[in-house]
Short mmCIF file of all heavy atoms in Angstrom, two decimals:
data_model
loop_
_atom_site.label_atom_id
_atom_site.label_comp_id
_atom_site.label_asym_id
_atom_site.label_seq_id
_atom_site.Cartn_x
_atom_site.Cartn_y
_atom_site.Cartn_z
N MET L 1 5.45 15.06 -3.23
CA MET L 1 4.30 14.96 -2.36
C MET L 1 3.18 14.16 -3.02
O MET L 1 2.47 13.43 -2.36
CB MET L 1 3.85 16.37 -1.99
CG MET L 1 2.79 16.39 -0.95
SD MET L 1 3.38 15.65 0.57
CE MET L 1 2.54 16.61 1.74
N ASN L 2 3.05 14.26 -4.32
CA ASN L 2 2.00 13.56 -5.05
C ASN L 2 2.19 12.05 -4.95
O ASN L 2 1.22 11.31 -4.79
CB ASN L 2 1.99 14.01 -6.50
CG ASN L 2 0.76 13.55 -7.24
OD1 ASN L 2 -0.25 13.24 -6.63
ND2 ASN L 2 0.85 13.48 -8.54
N ASP L 3 3.45 11.57 -5.01
CA ASP L 3 3.73 10.14 -4.88
C ASP L 3 3.30 9.62 -3.52
O ASP L 3 2.77 8.52 -3.41
CB ASP L 3 5.21 9.86 -5.10
CG ASP L 3 5.65 9.97 -6.55
OD1 ASP L 3 4.77 9.93 -7.43
OD2 ASP L 3 6.85 10.10 -6.79
N LYS L 4 3.55 10.41 -2.48
CA LYS L 4 3.19 9.97 -1.12
C LYS L 4 1.69 9.75 -1.01
O LYS L 4 1.24 8.76 -0.44
CB LYS L 4 3.65 10.99 -0.09
CG LYS L 4 5.14 11.01 0.12
CD LYS L 4 5.50 11.97 1.21
CE LYS L 4 7.00 12.00 1.42
NZ LYS L 4 7.38 12.83 2.56
N ALA L 5 0.92 10.64 -1.56
CA ALA L 5 -0.54 10.51 -1.50
C ALA L 5 -1.00 9.30 -2.32
O ALA L 5 -1.89 8.55 -1.89
CB ALA L 5 -1.21 11.78 -2.03
N GLU L 6 -0.38 9.10 -3.46
CA GLU L 6 -0.72 7.96 -4.31
C GLU L 6 -0.41 6.65 -3.59
O GLU L 6 -1.21 5.72 -3.60
CB GLU L 6 0.06 8.04 -5.61
CG GLU L 6 -0.26 6.95 -6.59
CD GLU L 6 0.51 7.09 -7.89
OE1 GLU L 6 0.80 8.23 -8.30
OE2 GLU L 6 0.84 6.05 -8.48
N HIS L 7 0.74 6.58 -2.95
CA HIS L 7 1.14 5.36 -2.26
C HIS L 7 0.25 5.10 -1.05
O HIS L 7 -0.08 3.95 -0.76
CB HIS L 7 2.61 5.43 -1.86
CG HIS L 7 3.53 5.55 -3.04
ND1 HIS L 7 4.78 6.10 -2.93
CD2 HIS L 7 3.38 5.23 -4.35
CE1 HIS L 7 5.37 6.11 -4.12
NE2 HIS L 7 4.52 5.58 -4.99
N LYS L 8 -0.14 6.13 -0.36
CA LYS L 8 -1.06 5.96 0.78
C LYS L 8 -2.42 5.48 0.28
O LYS L 8 -3.05 4.62 0.89
CB LYS L 8 -1.20 7.29 1.55
CG LYS L 8 -1.96 7.16 2.83
CD LYS L 8 -1.23 6.26 3.83
CE LYS L 8 -1.94 6.22 5.15
NZ LYS L 8 -1.29 5.31 6.09
N GLY L 9 -2.85 6.01 -0.85
CA GLY L 9 -4.10 5.56 -1.45
C GLY L 9 -4.06 4.09 -1.83
O GLY L 9 -5.01 3.35 -1.62
N GLU L 10 -2.91 3.65 -2.38
CA GLU L 10 -2.74 2.25 -2.72
C GLU L 10 -2.82 1.37 -1.47
O GLU L 10 -3.41 0.29 -1.51
CB GLU L 10 -1.40 2.03 -3.42
CG GLU L 10 -1.32 2.62 -4.81
CD GLU L 10 0.08 2.55 -5.40
OE1 GLU L 10 1.02 2.06 -4.72
OE2 GLU L 10 0.25 2.99 -6.54
N GLU L 11 -2.23 1.86 -0.38
CA GLU L 11 -2.27 1.11 0.87
C GLU L 11 -3.71 0.97 1.37
O GLU L 11 -4.15 -0.11 1.79
CB GLU L 11 -1.43 1.81 1.93
CG GLU L 11 -1.45 1.09 3.27
CD GLU L 11 -0.72 1.86 4.37
OE1 GLU L 11 -0.26 3.00 4.15
OE2 GLU L 11 -0.63 1.30 5.47
N LEU L 12 -4.47 2.06 1.30
CA LEU L 12 -5.86 2.03 1.76
C LEU L 12 -6.73 1.12 0.90
O LEU L 12 -7.60 0.41 1.42
CB LEU L 12 -6.43 3.44 1.80
CG LEU L 12 -5.79 4.38 2.82
CD1 LEU L 12 -6.33 5.80 2.66
CD2 LEU L 12 -5.99 3.88 4.23
N ILE L 13 -6.49 1.11 -0.40
CA ILE L 13 -7.22 0.22 -1.30
C ILE L 13 -6.89 -1.23 -0.95
O ILE L 13 -7.78 -2.09 -0.91
CB ILE L 13 -6.89 0.53 -2.77
CG1 ILE L 13 -7.52 1.87 -3.16
CG2 ILE L 13 -7.40 -0.58 -3.69
CD1 ILE L 13 -7.08 2.39 -4.51
N GLY L 14 -5.61 -1.50 -0.67
CA GLY L 14 -5.21 -2.85 -0.27
C GLY L 14 -5.89 -3.28 1.02
O GLY L 14 -6.35 -4.43 1.14
N LYS L 15 -5.99 -2.37 1.98
CA LYS L 15 -6.65 -2.68 3.25
C LYS L 15 -8.13 -2.99 3.01
O LYS L 15 -8.69 -3.91 3.61
CB LYS L 15 -6.52 -1.53 4.24
CG LYS L 15 -5.18 -1.45 4.89
CD LYS L 15 -5.14 -0.36 5.94
CE LYS L 15 -3.75 -0.28 6.56
NZ LYS L 15 -3.68 0.67 7.66
N ALA L 16 -8.75 -2.21 2.14
CA ALA L 16 -10.17 -2.43 1.85
C ALA L 16 -10.37 -3.78 1.17
O ALA L 16 -11.30 -4.53 1.53
CB ALA L 16 -10.69 -1.31 0.95
N LYS L 17 -9.50 -4.12 0.22
CA LYS L 17 -9.62 -5.41 -0.46
C LYS L 17 -9.41 -6.56 0.53
O LYS L 17 -10.13 -7.56 0.49
CB LYS L 17 -8.59 -5.53 -1.58
CG LYS L 17 -8.96 -4.82 -2.84
CD LYS L 17 -7.96 -5.12 -3.92
CE LYS L 17 -8.32 -4.45 -5.22
NZ LYS L 17 -7.33 -4.74 -6.28
N GLU L 18 -8.41 -6.41 1.39
CA GLU L 18 -8.15 -7.46 2.36
C GLU L 18 -9.35 -7.64 3.29
O GLU L 18 -9.78 -8.76 3.56
CB GLU L 18 -6.90 -7.13 3.18
CG GLU L 18 -6.54 -8.23 4.16
CD GLU L 18 -5.29 -7.93 4.96
OE1 GLU L 18 -4.84 -6.76 4.99
OE2 GLU L 18 -4.77 -8.87 5.57
N GLY L 19 -9.91 -6.54 3.76
CA GLY L 19 -11.08 -6.61 4.64
C GLY L 19 -12.28 -7.22 3.95
O GLY L 19 -13.00 -8.04 4.54
N LEU L 20 -12.49 -6.84 2.70
CA LEU L 20 -13.61 -7.40 1.94
C LEU L 20 -13.40 -8.89 1.72
O LEU L 20 -14.34 -9.69 1.82
CB LEU L 20 -13.77 -6.67 0.61
CG LEU L 20 -14.93 -7.07 -0.27
CD1 LEU L 20 -16.25 -6.84 0.46
CD2 LEU L 20 -14.91 -6.29 -1.57
N GLY L 21 -12.16 -9.26 1.43
CA GLY L 21 -11.86 -10.69 1.25
C GLY L 21 -12.12 -11.48 2.51
O GLY L 21 -12.67 -12.58 2.46
N LYS L 22 -11.73 -10.93 3.66
CA LYS L 22 -11.98 -11.62 4.94
C LYS L 22 -13.48 -11.73 5.19
O LYS L 22 -13.97 -12.77 5.63
CB LYS L 22 -11.33 -10.85 6.09
CG LYS L 22 -9.85 -11.07 6.20
CD LYS L 22 -9.29 -10.33 7.41
CE LYS L 22 -7.79 -10.50 7.50
NZ LYS L 22 -7.22 -9.77 8.65
N ALA L 23 -14.21 -10.65 4.94
CA ALA L 23 -15.64 -10.63 5.22
C ALA L 23 -16.42 -11.60 4.34
O ALA L 23 -17.42 -12.17 4.77
CB ALA L 23 -16.19 -9.22 5.04
N THR L 24 -15.96 -11.78 3.11
CA THR L 24 -16.68 -12.64 2.18
C THR L 24 -16.10 -14.04 2.09
O THR L 24 -16.65 -14.89 1.39
CB THR L 24 -16.69 -12.02 0.76
OG1 THR L 24 -15.34 -11.88 0.30
CG2 THR L 24 -17.41 -10.69 0.75
N GLY L 25 -14.97 -14.26 2.76
CA GLY L 25 -14.32 -15.57 2.69
C GLY L 25 -13.57 -15.79 1.40
O GLY L 25 -13.25 -16.91 1.04
N ASN L 26 -13.27 -14.72 0.70
CA ASN L 26 -12.55 -14.79 -0.57
C ASN L 26 -11.05 -14.68 -0.28
O ASN L 26 -10.51 -13.58 -0.14
CB ASN L 26 -13.02 -13.67 -1.50
CG ASN L 26 -12.44 -13.75 -2.89
OD1 ASN L 26 -11.36 -14.27 -3.08
ND2 ASN L 26 -13.16 -13.21 -3.86
N GLU L 27 -10.37 -15.81 -0.23
CA GLU L 27 -8.95 -15.83 0.11
C GLU L 27 -8.09 -15.13 -0.95
O GLU L 27 -7.09 -14.49 -0.62
CB GLU L 27 -8.46 -17.26 0.30
CG GLU L 27 -9.05 -17.92 1.52
CD GLU L 27 -8.59 -19.35 1.69
OE1 GLU L 27 -7.75 -19.81 0.90
OE2 GLU L 27 -9.09 -20.01 2.62
N ARG L 28 -8.49 -15.25 -2.19
CA ARG L 28 -7.72 -14.61 -3.27
C ARG L 28 -7.75 -13.09 -3.12
O ARG L 28 -6.72 -12.42 -3.25
CB ARG L 28 -8.27 -15.03 -4.62
CG ARG L 28 -7.50 -14.44 -5.78
CD ARG L 28 -8.00 -15.01 -7.11
NE ARG L 28 -7.28 -14.39 -8.19
CZ ARG L 28 -7.86 -13.86 -9.25
NH1 ARG L 28 -9.16 -13.93 -9.40
NH2 ARG L 28 -7.13 -13.30 -10.19
N LEU L 29 -8.91 -12.53 -2.87
CA LEU L 29 -9.06 -11.09 -2.70
C LEU L 29 -8.31 -10.62 -1.46
O LEU L 29 -7.64 -9.57 -1.48
CB LEU L 29 -10.54 -10.70 -2.61
CG LEU L 29 -10.87 -9.22 -2.57
CD1 LEU L 29 -10.36 -8.51 -3.82
CD2 LEU L 29 -12.36 -9.01 -2.43
N GLU L 30 -8.37 -11.40 -0.41
CA GLU L 30 -7.65 -11.07 0.82
C GLU L 30 -6.15 -11.04 0.57
O GLU L 30 -5.46 -10.11 1.00
CB GLU L 30 -8.00 -12.11 1.89
CG GLU L 30 -7.40 -11.82 3.24
CD GLU L 30 -7.80 -12.85 4.28
OE1 GLU L 30 -8.75 -13.64 4.07
OE2 GLU L 30 -7.15 -12.86 5.33
N ALA L 31 -5.63 -12.04 -0.13
CA ALA L 31 -4.20 -12.09 -0.43
C ALA L 31 -3.78 -10.95 -1.35
O ALA L 31 -2.71 -10.37 -1.19
CB ALA L 31 -3.85 -13.44 -1.06
N GLU L 32 -4.63 -10.64 -2.31
CA GLU L 32 -4.34 -9.54 -3.24
C GLU L 32 -4.25 -8.22 -2.49
O GLU L 32 -3.36 -7.41 -2.72
CB GLU L 32 -5.42 -9.48 -4.31
CG GLU L 32 -5.17 -8.46 -5.39
CD GLU L 32 -6.27 -8.47 -6.44
OE1 GLU L 32 -6.67 -9.57 -6.89
OE2 GLU L 32 -6.73 -7.37 -6.81
N GLY L 33 -5.18 -8.01 -1.56
CA GLY L 33 -5.17 -6.80 -0.76
C GLY L 33 -3.93 -6.71 0.10
O GLY L 33 -3.32 -5.65 0.23
N HIS L 34 -3.54 -7.83 0.70
CA HIS L 34 -2.34 -7.85 1.52
C HIS L 34 -1.10 -7.53 0.69
O HIS L 34 -0.23 -6.78 1.11
CB HIS L 34 -2.20 -9.22 2.20
CG HIS L 34 -1.08 -9.29 3.16
ND1 HIS L 34 -1.11 -8.66 4.38
CD2 HIS L 34 0.14 -9.87 3.06
CE1 HIS L 34 0.04 -8.88 5.00
NE2 HIS L 34 0.80 -9.62 4.23
N ALA L 35 -1.03 -8.09 -0.51
CA ALA L 35 0.10 -7.84 -1.41
C ALA L 35 0.16 -6.37 -1.82
O ALA L 35 1.24 -5.77 -1.87
CB ALA L 35 0.00 -8.73 -2.64
N GLU L 36 -0.98 -5.77 -2.08
CA GLU L 36 -1.01 -4.36 -2.46
C GLU L 36 -0.55 -3.47 -1.30
O GLU L 36 0.16 -2.49 -1.52
CB GLU L 36 -2.42 -3.95 -2.91
CG GLU L 36 -2.77 -4.48 -4.28
CD GLU L 36 -4.15 -4.06 -4.75
OE1 GLU L 36 -4.72 -3.11 -4.18
OE2 GLU L 36 -4.65 -4.68 -5.70
N GLN L 37 -0.93 -3.85 -0.08
CA GLN L 37 -0.47 -3.09 1.08
C GLN L 37 1.05 -3.17 1.21
O GLN L 37 1.71 -2.18 1.48
CB GLN L 37 -1.11 -3.64 2.36
CG GLN L 37 -2.56 -3.29 2.54
CD GLN L 37 -3.08 -3.89 3.81
OE1 GLN L 37 -2.72 -3.45 4.89
NE2 GLN L 37 -3.92 -4.91 3.69
N SER L 38 1.59 -4.35 1.02
CA SER L 38 3.03 -4.55 1.13
C SER L 38 3.78 -3.72 0.09
O SER L 38 4.78 -3.07 0.40
CB SER L 38 3.39 -6.02 0.97
OG SER L 38 2.83 -6.79 2.01
N THR L 39 3.28 -3.74 -1.12
CA THR L 39 3.90 -2.95 -2.19
C THR L 39 3.85 -1.46 -1.87
O THR L 39 4.84 -0.75 -2.04
CB THR L 39 3.19 -3.23 -3.53
OG1 THR L 39 3.27 -4.63 -3.81
CG2 THR L 39 3.82 -2.46 -4.66
N ALA L 40 2.72 -1.00 -1.41
CA ALA L 40 2.57 0.41 -1.07
C ALA L 40 3.49 0.79 0.08
O ALA L 40 4.10 1.87 0.07
CB ALA L 40 1.12 0.73 -0.72
N ASN L 41 3.62 -0.08 1.06
CA ASN L 41 4.52 0.20 2.18
C ASN L 41 5.97 0.29 1.74
O ASN L 41 6.72 1.14 2.23
CB ASN L 41 4.35 -0.86 3.28
CG ASN L 41 3.05 -0.72 4.03
OD1 ASN L 41 2.48 0.37 4.10
ND2 ASN L 41 2.57 -1.81 4.58
N LEU L 42 6.37 -0.56 0.81
CA LEU L 42 7.74 -0.48 0.28
C LEU L 42 7.96 0.83 -0.47
O LEU L 42 9.02 1.45 -0.35
CB LEU L 42 8.03 -1.66 -0.64
CG LEU L 42 8.26 -3.00 0.04
CD1 LEU L 42 8.36 -4.10 -1.01
CD2 LEU L 42 9.52 -2.95 0.89
N LYS L 43 6.97 1.24 -1.23
CA LYS L 43 7.07 2.51 -1.95
C LYS L 43 7.16 3.68 -0.97
O LYS L 43 7.93 4.62 -1.18
CB LYS L 43 5.86 2.71 -2.87
CG LYS L 43 5.86 1.78 -4.07
CD LYS L 43 4.62 1.99 -4.90
CE LYS L 43 4.53 1.07 -6.09
NZ LYS L 43 3.30 1.30 -6.87
N GLN L 44 6.39 3.61 0.12
CA GLN L 44 6.44 4.67 1.12
C GLN L 44 7.81 4.70 1.80
O GLN L 44 8.34 5.78 2.07
CB GLN L 44 5.33 4.46 2.16
CG GLN L 44 3.96 4.75 1.61
CD GLN L 44 2.85 4.39 2.58
OE1 GLN L 44 3.10 3.93 3.68
NE2 GLN L 44 1.61 4.58 2.15
N ALA L 45 8.39 3.55 2.05
CA ALA L 45 9.73 3.49 2.64
C ALA L 45 10.74 4.11 1.68
O ALA L 45 11.65 4.83 2.11
CB ALA L 45 10.11 2.05 2.96
N GLY L 46 10.59 3.85 0.40
CA GLY L 46 11.46 4.47 -0.59
C GLY L 46 11.32 5.99 -0.60
O GLY L 46 12.31 6.70 -0.74
N ASP L 47 10.10 6.46 -0.44
CA ASP L 47 9.86 7.91 -0.36
C ASP L 47 10.58 8.50 0.85
O ASP L 47 11.17 9.58 0.76
CB ASP L 47 8.37 8.23 -0.26
CG ASP L 47 7.61 7.95 -1.55
OD1 ASP L 47 8.26 7.92 -2.63
OD2 ASP L 47 6.39 7.79 -1.48
N ASP L 48 10.53 7.78 1.98
CA ASP L 48 11.18 8.26 3.19
C ASP L 48 12.69 8.35 3.01
O ASP L 48 13.32 9.31 3.46
CB ASP L 48 10.84 7.36 4.38
CG ASP L 48 9.37 7.44 4.78
OD1 ASP L 48 8.70 8.42 4.40
OD2 ASP L 48 8.91 6.52 5.49
N VAL L 49 13.27 7.35 2.36
CA VAL L 49 14.71 7.36 2.10
C VAL L 49 15.06 8.52 1.17
O VAL L 49 16.02 9.24 1.40
CB VAL L 49 15.17 6.01 1.50
CG1 VAL L 49 16.59 6.09 1.01
CG2 VAL L 49 15.01 4.90 2.52
N LYS L 50 14.25 8.69 0.15
CA LYS L 50 14.49 9.79 -0.79
C LYS L 50 14.42 11.14 -0.08
O LYS L 50 15.26 12.01 -0.31
CB LYS L 50 13.43 9.73 -1.92
CG LYS L 50 13.73 10.64 -3.07
CD LYS L 50 12.69 10.64 -4.20
CE LYS L 50 11.70 9.54 -4.25
NZ LYS L 50 10.73 9.68 -5.32
N ASP L 51 13.44 11.28 0.81
CA ASP L 51 13.31 12.52 1.58
C ASP L 51 14.51 12.76 2.48
O ASP L 51 14.95 13.89 2.65
CB ASP L 51 12.04 12.51 2.42
CG ASP L 51 10.77 12.65 1.59
OD1 ASP L 51 10.87 13.05 0.41
OD2 ASP L 51 9.69 12.36 2.14
N ALA L 52 15.04 11.70 3.06
CA ALA L 52 16.19 11.82 3.97
C ALA L 52 17.40 12.37 3.23
O ALA L 52 18.20 13.12 3.80
CB ALA L 52 16.51 10.48 4.60
N PHE L 53 17.56 12.00 1.97
CA PHE L 53 18.71 12.46 1.21
C PHE L 53 18.53 13.84 0.59
O PHE L 53 19.50 14.48 0.21
CB PHE L 53 19.07 11.45 0.12
CG PHE L 53 19.79 10.24 0.64
CD1 PHE L 53 19.14 9.03 0.78
CD2 PHE L 53 21.12 10.34 1.03
CE1 PHE L 53 19.80 7.91 1.28
CE2 PHE L 53 21.79 9.23 1.53
CZ PHE L 53 21.13 8.02 1.66
N THR L 54 17.29 14.29 0.49
CA THR L 54 17.05 15.60 -0.12
C THR L 54 17.03 16.72 0.90
O THR L 54 16.99 17.88 0.56
CB THR L 54 15.74 15.62 -0.91
OG1 THR L 54 14.66 15.29 -0.05
CG2 THR L 54 15.79 14.67 -2.08
N LYS L 55 17.04 16.36 2.19
CA LYS L 55 17.00 17.40 3.23
C LYS L 55 18.37 17.82 3.61
O LYS L 55 19.35 17.35 3.57
CB LYS L 55 16.26 16.88 4.47
CG LYS L 55 14.79 16.77 4.20
CD LYS L 55 14.04 16.36 5.44
CE LYS L 55 12.56 16.28 5.13
NZ LYS L 55 11.78 15.89 6.26
#
């Protein structure tokens, strides 16, 4: 359960960075935020697969 919360937190941080990058016109920050969201989503998908096998 702790991993799920951590991964969701990473996703939210990525969304915040992406939004801040868009608002300030900082393409690098926007791309970094998008990449962090993608990574967090992959980790969440892995958690879902792991949960499916443990039930």
Side-chain angles (χ1 to χ4, degrees):
M1 188 61 146
N2 192 22
D3 286 342
K4 287 183 181 186
E6 182 178 328
H7 299 156
K8 188 64 176 177
E10 290 172 359
E11 179 186 5
L12 294 174
I13 289 171
K15 283 184 181 186
K17 281 186 178 180
E18 183 179 15
L20 183 60
K22 282 182 182 179
T24 61
N26 185 333
E27 292 179 5
R28 182 174 178 229
L29 186 60
E30 184 178 345
E32 185 179 314
H34 185 73
E36 286 181 17
Q37 286 180 70
S38 297
T39 301
N41 287 334
L42 285 173
K43 289 178 182 179
Q44 289 173 1
D47 289 338
D48 292 342
V49 170
K50 191 181 344 177
D51 288 345
F53 283 104
T54 58
K55 289 184 179 180

